[in-house]
Amino acid sequence: MSPWFWICFSSLLQFAYSEKRNFQIVIDEIKMRNIDPEVFEKLDCDLWQVNNRSYYNSSQVFKNPVNDFSVHAILDFWKPNSKKIQIYDGTFDMCYFLENVQTNRLFKIYAKGVKKHSSVIFKCPFEPNVDYALNNMSFDEEDFPKFIPLGKFRCTLEYLINKQLSARAFVTGKVIAR
Ligand SMILES: *[C@@H]1O[C@H](CO)[C@@H](O)[C@H](O)[C@H]1NC(C)=O
Ligand SMILES: *[C@@H]1O[C@H](CO)[C@@H](O)[C@H](O)[C@H]1NC(C)=O
Ligand SMILES: *[C@@H]1O[C@H](CO)[C@@H](O)[C@H](O)[C@H]1NC(C)=O
């Protein structure tokens, strides 16, 4: 697993209009599917909960250097008693994103989290046989803006390496009041 599904949460924020910041982001499940074993030597993610807070460790090892990495992200959201809303459907160029994290407030939050929880630098080209791992990652709600809607979400991520679909991640969870 990788931190990329953070993209989904950042897009949540653009949709934000709830009342107060007393919310918590809970991840119920993360499923990873390694589609192209020629690309990923290893790709996994462990999720656990402590005191209603979600933590995860993720690990990602490439077989070859990677310099062309995009993520197609889809974020669906359900507010209580309402139909599915598609909040985001877009493709991110990860190499560009990682090089330009300083240009955007949301990107900076992401970069801060990764730096704190990883011992390697996430940037292109990704080196082969290096574990791009994140340990003990969680979401610090204080890093998020005050307004975020409550409800359930599902995030689907497609990893496109050299423009080929190489892996998929499914993340489900909820934004609850605390
Ligand atoms: C966790 O959430 C449940 C349900 O919202 C609540 O009853 C419980 O008190 C919470 N536990 C902690 C440690 O916050
Ligand atoms: C997560 O990583 C930390 C640090 O490497 C380790 O101590 C912990 O056991 C791991 N937890 C899980 C659930 O894999
Ligand atoms: C993970 O983070 C939590 C809260 O930040 C901390 O209490 C715990 O000791 C950390 N665990 C590891 C293995 O670093």
Side-chain angles (χ1 to χ4, degrees):
M1 180 56 196
S2 79
W4 315 132
F5 71 77
W6 185 88
I7 291 165
C8 281
F9 298 106
S10 73
S11 60
L12 256 182
L13 305 178
Q14 291 157 16
F15 174 71
Y17 62 82
S18 180
E19 306 79 46
K20 31 186 176 152
R21 191 194 264 179
N22 296 336
F23 61 83
Q24 187 161 358
I25 296 168
V26 178
I27 300 171
D28 292 319
E29 187 178 40
I30 301 176
K31 270 195 264 180
M32 302 296 296
R33 201 161 294 155
N34 186 352
I35 292 170
D36 189 348
E38 293 306 307
V39 169
F40 287 103
E41 177 75 42
K42 187 176 174 210
L43 178 73
D44 56 37
C45 184
D46 292 310
L47 176 72
W48 72 100
Q49 322 277 344
V50 180
N51 293 337
N52 290 344
R53 182 167 289 278
S54 308
Y55 294 87
Y56 69 89
N57 288 350
S58 71
S59 182
Q60 174 169 270
V61 181
F62 296 103
K63 285 197 174 165
N64 295 295
V66 170
N67 220 348
D68 179 349
F69 186 173
S70 320
V71 176
H72 176 210
I74 298 169
L75 178 63
D76 294 317
F77 198 83
W78 291 262
K79 287 202 280 174
N81 307 315
S82 78
K83 285 196 189 135
K84 180 174 96 176
I85 318 167
Q86 190 166 85
I87 296 182
Y88 185 79
D89 181 350
T91 301
F92 258 67
D93 179 335
M94 284 311 304
C95 294
Y96 177 85
F97 173 79
L98 293 168
E99 253 170 43
N100 293 281
V101 286
Q102 295 309 322
T103 61
N104 178 299
R105 202 182 89 79
L106 292 172
F107 294 1
K108 269 195 220 164
I109 296 173
Y110 160 87
K112 192 180 109 188
V114 169
K115 213 166 165 184
K116 212 161 95 184
H117 296 278
S118 176
S119 54
V120 291
I121 294 168
F122 283 67
K123 76 188 224 333
C124 294
F126 285 87
E127 306 287 345
N129 307 316
V130 169
D131 191 356
Y132 290 91
L134 290 170
N135 288 313
N136 211 22
M137 272 297 265
S138 68
F139 292 97
D140 184 353
E141 282 79 12
E142 303 310 316
D143 280 343
F144 287 82
K146 290 190 178 68
F147 304 113
I148 189 167
L150 302 182
K152 289 186 183 177
F153 60 83
R154 181 182 61 203
C155 176
T156 306
L157 297 172
E158 293 182 333
Y159 295 49
L160 305 162
I161 312 282
N162 299 323
K163 308 198 167 47
Q164 298 289 316
L165 179 61
S166 305
R168 266 203 197 95
F170 303 94
V171 183
T172 52
K174 51 196 175 261
V175 182
I176 56 171
R178 70 168 172 197

